């Protein structure tokens, strides 16, 4: 599995509450994050919809008094033109709101770990798939979950 490092550019048109525009990049596997109120940070992961590989923000979602999701943006490796089989990067943007600590989870689904998911709809269940993949004799493994703990000072 390939995970990209966060690439540090903000997304969306919502400005931080304090008017600042700085956005910090975070390594995807760095699960302890410290931020200041008004600070934005991004997490960027590799994703390839043509192979049914998706990432989702799932429960537990962050406490909105501490951290707010500012959305996600997908950038194809092929640029503006869709090319079958070409992957890209999905960037999640968050904004620190108020002092405290909160947690959130990113779920990584592949065609062998989740059933019934789409690019915008997580699977109904996130346990191992009950349906073996072609040629498999046992159900697939559970999807990867990365849980982040964010402390806002």
């Amino acid at each position: 599995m390939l995970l990209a490092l966060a690439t540090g550019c903000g997304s969306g048109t919502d400005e931080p509450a304090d008017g600042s525009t700085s956005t910090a990049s975070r390594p995807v596997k760095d699960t302890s994050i410290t931020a200041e109120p008004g600070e934005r940070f991004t997490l960027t992961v590799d994703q390839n919809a043509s192979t049914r590989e998706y990432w989702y923000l799932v429960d537990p979602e962050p406490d909105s008094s501490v951290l707010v999701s500012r959305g996600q943006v997908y950038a194809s490796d092929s640029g503006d033109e869709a090319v079958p089989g070409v992957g890209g990067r999905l960037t999640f943007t968050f904004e620190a709101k108020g002092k405290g600590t909160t947690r959130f989870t990113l779920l990584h689904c592949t065609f062998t770990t989740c059933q019934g998911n789409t690019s915008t709809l997580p699977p109904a269940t996130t346990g191992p798939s009950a349906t073996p993949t072609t040629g498999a004799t046992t159900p697939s493994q559970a999807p990867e979950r990365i849980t982040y703990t964010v402390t806002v000072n």
Side-chain angles (χ1 to χ4, degrees):
M1 165 173 327
L2 297 174
L3 291 179
L5 291 182
T7 58
C9 58
S11 65
T13 58
D14 293 327
E15 291 300 319
D18 69 356
S20 72
T21 58
S22 67
T23 301
S25 301
R26 306 286 185 194
V28 172
K29 292 291 188 174
D30 181 6
T31 60
S32 294
I33 299 169
T34 302
E36 298 295 325
E39 181 181 348
R40 285 190 179 193
F41 64 90
T42 62
L43 297 168
T44 298
V45 292
D46 288 336
Q47 179 171 288
N48 189 339
S50 69
T51 61
R52 294 191 339 236
E53 174 188 22
Y54 301 105
W55 286 87
Y56 307 97
L57 176 62
V58 296
D59 290 333
E61 291 190 15
D63 176 345
S64 62
S65 68
V66 178
L67 185 71
V68 175
S69 170
R70 289 296 183 196
Q72 54 195 5
V73 175
Y74 179 79
S76 174
D77 289 340
S78 64
D80 291 338
E81 185 176 325
V83 176
V86 174
R89 289 162 314 287
L90 181 65
T91 300
F92 294 88
T93 301
F94 298 92
E95 181 181 342
K97 296 302 282 183
K99 293 183 179 189
T101 299
T102 190
R103 294 166 36 115
F104 68 89
T105 299
L106 294 183
L107 175 72
H108 181 222
C109 285
T110 67
F111 72 96
T112 62
T113 61
C114 298
Q115 299 294 319
N117 58 310
T118 67
S119 63
T120 58
L121 178 68
T125 179
T126 57
S129 169
T131 307
T133 58
T134 305
T137 58
T138 60
S140 61
Q141 64 186 5
E144 176 185 15
R145 290 175 172 272
I146 303 175
T147 299
Y148 297 87
T149 301
V150 179
T151 301
V152 179
N153 297 320

